[in-house]
Amino acid sequence: MDAGIRNASSLLKPCGQWLFPPRFLPAVNSRDNADRFIPNRSAMDFDYAHYMLTKGRKEKKKTTTTTEVSSPSKEAYRNQLAEIFSMNRTRILAFKNKPPAPVKLLPSDQSVPLHWQPKSMKPHRNIPQAVSILDAPEIKDDFYLNLLDWGSKNVLAIALDQTVYLLDASSRSISELVTVVDEKGPVTSVNWAPDGRHIAVGLNNSEVQLWDSASNRMLRTLCGGHTSRVGSLAWNNHTLTTGGMDGQIINNDIRIRSHIVGTYRGHRDEVCGLKWTEYGTNLASGGNDNLVHIWDRSMASSNSHTQWLHRLEDHTSAVKALAWCPFQGNLLATGGGERDGAIRFWNTNSGACLNCVETGSQISGLIWSKNERELLSCHGFAQNQLTLWKYPSMAKMAELTGHTWRVLSMTQSPDGCTVASVAGDETLRLWNVFGDPKAITKAAAKANPRPFSHVRHHIR
């Protein structure tokens, strides 16, 4: 036997023990393994074979002596009857025995419990309703604004009219970051920098302020780029991208005095959604002109008439909800406003729409799960709920209700488990929609054990 085949066959053996006890296994019969090209005489019916071989001669004699003329249809009918009456036995030579009866792998006195399930099946995950509810008085009930963001240091920022508050989720403390004067306010957008310490605050008068949350100190003001309110913000390393009611998208390098380093032109109305990919190569923007644009980072300083990679025109209402897929870099989910109510999935390499799901209500936010293939959407009129979907089937897994007015924004905690949502009913709600943080931490530690943990003595 070839050495490779011998080694492969040895891998199939269950390490010196039977998968089932020998008394449950059928006895091996050499006749069962007869070669298929050699007739098995013990399985043949010679009387039936003789009948089938001589049948043609007898019928030929009958047709020559009788005066009855048989039509082709009658002849076919007779042949069909003969075949049925002979139980469809058209083969004369038998090359193998009948298949053996099914083998019972368990004794007859043993039965499988009705509640038994395969280990591979995951239990249904319980998705609770809101775990915390806080008051959010004077929240601006404006669909186009982005007034909520959760930073990497586990601090939640929320803008209520003229004031930005910081909620530390670790210490459960609340502090005031800034209250802007009436001439500049209200606050129209907030967004944390990747370091979780610095935060950008967009204002109604077209300015953007940069703050250090650790010292509660304003670092600088970005102005001169927009002519009206700044409703959307997105960080890309040291670049802050701003979207205004004037339809412009501006890249600001916060390290230099002349901070405007590039502009994207393509929207005809207010830019209400901005999202960079994880590695900052592409930017998605959504606007009140029902358009979605995909931009390349290098094209911000271009003077080309069409700077965008793709212009997506399938939505029929304002597009604020944008979410890049964490497990597939070229997959973008977008959600339309009240007259649209559809979640669309795009291949951003080709610009093709992969799927469209009608939700029946205004979509104000989308968030992908960091741990499962799930997508969460938040809605305005008329349901005012959060909906959890299984991707890619888009089967509805749960509806989280409690808000009594349209949900304006939602954001995700750094561990990916908790989601905060704020609505026009002036409440801020926290949901453990993507699982228990402790359980996920244990599962991750089990799936990724300490390197060389099987070694008894570690190097000191």
Side-chain angles (χ1 to χ4, degrees), residues 280-352:
T281 54
N282 293 115
L283 173 71
S285 65
N288 194 30
D289 52 7
N290 310 342
L291 296 176
V292 177
H293 286 99
I294 308 299
W295 313 89
D296 185 89
R297 178 178 57 185
S298 62
M299 293 293 290
S301 58
S302 171
N303 293 322
S304 172
H305 179 66
T306 55
Q307 297 171 284
W308 58 81
L309 294 176
H310 301 290
R311 170 178 274 187
L312 312 175
E313 303 178 344
D314 291 17
H315 284 290
T316 58
S317 192
V319 183
K320 176 186 178 183
L322 304 167
W324 290 97
C325 180
F327 53 83
Q328 187 174 337
N330 64 336
L331 177 61
L332 175 70
T334 61
E338 185 177 1
R339 295 188 305 275
D340 183 279
I343 301 175
R344 293 182 179 273
F345 298 91
W346 308 89
N347 181 334
T348 56
N349 289 341
S350 63

Side-chain angles (χ1 to χ4, degrees), residues 59-88:
E59 289 183 351
K60 188 175 181 180
K61 289 180 180 180
K62 288 181 181 179
T63 55
T64 55
T65 56
T66 182
T67 57
E68 180 183 356
V69 179
S70 178
S71 66
S73 60
K74 287 186 177 180
E75 196 65 32
Y77 177 68
R78 288 174 184 172
N79 293 338
Q80 187 174 3
L81 283 179
E83 185 177 354
I84 294 173
F85 286 137
S86 62
M87 300 301 293
N88 242 355

Side-chain angles (χ1 to χ4, degrees), residues 45-53 86 88-92:
D45 187 345
F46 286 97
D47 293 333
Y48 176 73
H50 180 266
Y51 165 75
M52 292 298 294
L53 290 172
S86 62
N88 242 355
R89 295 173 61 183
T90 56
R91 285 184 174 271
I92 294 178

Side-chain angles (χ1 to χ4, degrees), residues 202-208 222-233 240-252 259-260 262-264 271 274:
L203 302 177
N204 191 60
N205 72 335
S206 77
E207 294 181 357
V208 178
L222 307 178
C223 56
H226 295 282
T227 59
S228 54
R229 71 180 185 181
V230 180
S232 53
L233 302 166
L240 175 63
T241 304
T242 59
M245 195 175 188
D246 53 12
Q248 290 197 87
I249 301 172
I250 297 175
N251 282 347
N252 302 270
H259 52 85
I260 300 177
T263 303
Y264 297 111
V271 179
L274 288 174

